[in-house]
Structure formats: structure tokens, C-alpha cells
Amino acid sequence: MGTPYPNPISPSETRIGWVGIGVMGFAMASRLLSAGYALTFYARNPSHPNALALQSQGATQAQSPAQLAQLSDVLFTMVGHPSDVRPLLLDAILPALRPNSVAVDTTSSHPELARTISSQARALGAWAIDAPVSGGDVGARDGTLAIFAAGEKKVVEWLHPIFSILGKETYVGPAGCGQSCKIANQITIGANLVGVSEGLVFAKRAGLDPKQFVEGIREGAAGSKALEIFGERMIEGDFRPGGFTEYMVKDLGMGVDVVEGGNDDDVVVLPGASLWKQLFTSMVANGQGKLGSQGVISVIERINGMNQ
């Protein structure tokens, strides 16, 4: 195809690569396949059910991340931790990308790592965009994700036809800003999840019907996306993951524990986020790290002796 950027994106011309086919990545890749894009993916376990499902939808499986990079115009990654992102992108994918191809990391990762990836991509003649997402499994399935896109603005604009299938992108600044935005997002959603949990626990103890309580506050100031997505799941004890709790702990940790620049001006005092992190960490310590973060209600219930 030659160099894809700035050639316009189209399903008939643009070859998409994908790494990371968990709950979120699988749903996102499936949407791109449904939109008519040719998609090749790499999976560490080629016989994983999601790998087989993607193949049944028309996707092709690559033998290695490097081979995938050679076959892709735009290559998405959606993996777990910065420790997964670093070797995958810096050591395997970027050196194999063709000139002017674009790597898009949707993993919730570290801002400084995103800047390093962007710099190395440009040195190798390619581009890298950090574009973590929010919206959970429902947003990934329905194409309503919030996408925090950062890096070269013109490249983000060029990617709009793909992003629009996955959700709504917002350009938030130069490389690394997407990851900083996601950390701030997690601080906010953590507060929402803890608030909904405590409201439900109080309502139950007060003798209210939890579903009537949620319906009653839905349209008021206490209404939120978190309430819409997770309220009923919390009531039903449905803690299937849209995103793992251990990832919430990782994301909050990057906000609470990490000072990037190493000087006093970089310190941000976040007492609430520190508390949310402790509550989600208690889920991990209780063996619930692979459950959805809405399971934090079980921590509040446990403190109140309600799920002994």
C-alpha cells in the first residue's frame, strides 16, 4: 500500500493490526471487523476462544508482534500493564513498523512511557498515539467509548474514521497526555463507584428497595454514568469485569504514588484517590483482582458486616 499516512483511511485500503483480545480488546476489534476493515491480530495463546471467534469473523492471526507490524498500517494495542507495553512496543512492534505507519496504544499506561514510545516511533519513521479509553465492556461492545487521544494532532485527526467506530475521541494534547487523562478519569470513576456503593449500602440498611433507590436518584444530581452502567450490577452482585479491579489499582497508583518530574511542584495531594486505591486494593488482596471494579461494593458491605 505504500505509506498510509496521510493517505485517507478506508476499509478497503487500511490494514489494521491488533494485540490484546481480552474483554475490551476483543469487543473493539470485533467492531472494526463488522465495519469492513481487514484485521490481523496476534495472540499469545492462538487457541484462546476470543482468537478463534475473531477468526470466525474474518480476522487473520499473525505469528508474532513483529510480523503483525509488517502487515499493518494502523496497529492497536490493548494489554494490561506498562510492563507489558514497554517490551511489546519498544522491542517488538516499533522496529518492525513500516515507514509512516501508526501504533495506537489504548492500554492504560504511564505518561512517561507514552512519551518514550512516541519519540522512538518518530526516530524510526513511524508514529505513535496514546489513546486509552473509558466506558468498560458496554462501551467497547456498543462503540460508545470515550477515547483520550494524544500525540501529533494531525495523526489523531487522520485516525478519526477508525476511532468513530469505537467511540468518540477527544484530542487532549501531546504524547503522554492521553495517559494522564485516563489516570484523572480513573480517579473520578473511582470516586463515583465508591459513592454508588456507599449509597446502596446505606439504602439497604435504611430499609429501602435498592432498585427504587437507584431509580429515584437517577435523574437528580446524584445520577451518573457509573450509576447507569454499574448500579444494577452492584445490586445483583454481578461483578463480571469490563475492566479488572487490579487495573484500577494500577491506574490509581500511577496518580497517587508516582511523581514524574521528581520535584515538589509535581506533587499532587489526592486524599480521596488514596482512599479509593486502598478500597480497590483490598479487593485484590481478597482474591478479587480479576473481578470488575463495581465489586468495590463488596468491600463496603464487608466493612458493615453485610456479606459475612
Side-chain angles (χ1 to χ4, degrees), residues 193-207:
L193 288 169
V194 173
V196 173
S197 297
E198 293 192 352
L200 280 168
V201 167
F202 180 86
K204 290 178 185 177
R205 274 288 174 85

Side-chain angles (χ1 to χ4, degrees), residues 95-239:
L97 280 176
R98 294 174 301 103
N100 280 333
S101 296
V102 182
V104 182
D105 186 25
T106 63
T107 312
S108 298
S109 186
H110 196 284
E112 186 58 39
L113 178 56
R115 288 189 281 270
T116 298
I117 291 168
S118 176
S119 177
Q120 181 163 320
R122 290 308 300 132
L124 295 169
W127 301 87
I129 300 298
D130 53 298
V133 303
S134 180
D137 57 329
V138 173
R141 185 187 66 233
D142 295 346
T144 57
L145 293 170
I147 304 168
F148 314 125
E152 178 62 41
K153 187 175 183 180
K154 289 184 178 180
V155 179
V156 172
E157 292 171 348
W158 177 74
L159 288 165
H160 173 73
I162 297 176
F163 283 146
S164 66
I165 297 166
L166 305 176
K168 182 182 185 299
E169 81 275 15
T170 300
Y171 178 73
V172 294
C177 288
Q179 298 300 348
S180 294
C181 189
K182 179 59 186 283
I183 292 169
N185 176 85
Q186 296 300 82
I187 293 168
T188 306
I189 188 63
N192 274 267
L193 288 169
V194 173
V196 173
S197 297
E198 293 192 352
L200 280 168
V201 167
F202 180 86
K204 290 178 185 177
R205 274 288 174 85
L208 300 176
D209 180 289
K211 292 187 178 181
Q212 289 180 345
F213 161 70
V214 168
E215 186 61 32
I217 70 171
R218 189 185 305 275
E219 300 302 324
S224 68
K225 198 74 169 180
L227 185 71
E228 291 295 326
I229 295 174
F230 298 114
E232 186 172 345
R233 297 191 197 187
M234 288 176 168
I235 293 169
E236 300 296 335
D238 178 1
F239 303 150

Side-chain angles (χ1 to χ4, degrees), residues 14-89:
T14 307
R15 298 175 298 179
I16 294 178
W18 200 280
V19 181
I21 55 170
V23 174
M24 297 286 291
F26 172 76
M28 294 164 73
S30 294
R31 286 194 61 83
L32 295 177
L33 284 165
S34 296
Y37 284 91
L39 185 141
T40 305
F41 69 96
Y42 169 75
R44 286 179 295 183
N45 177 5
S47 60
H48 189 281
N50 285 355
L52 300 177
L54 285 178
Q55 288 177 295
S56 72
Q57 296 173 43
T60 303
Q61 188 162 183
Q63 299 303 307
S64 69
Q67 182 192 45
L68 180 66
Q70 284 290 309
L71 296 171
S72 303
D73 300 319
V74 181
L75 197 160
F76 285 83
T77 49
M78 170 61 91
V79 293
H81 298 270
S83 58
D84 301 312
V85 172
R86 182 178 295 274
L88 177 65
L89 277 161

Side-chain angles (χ1 to χ4, degrees), residues 269-282:
V269 179
L270 303 170
S274 298
L275 175 57
W276 321 151
K277 181 173 178 285
Q278 290 182 39
L279 293 171
F280 290 111
T281 299
S282 72

Side-chain angles (χ1 to χ4, degrees), residues 285-299:
N286 199 46
Q288 298 174 308
K290 298 293 186 185
L291 297 183
S293 51
Q294 71 271 22
V296 71
I297 191 173
S298 68
V299 177

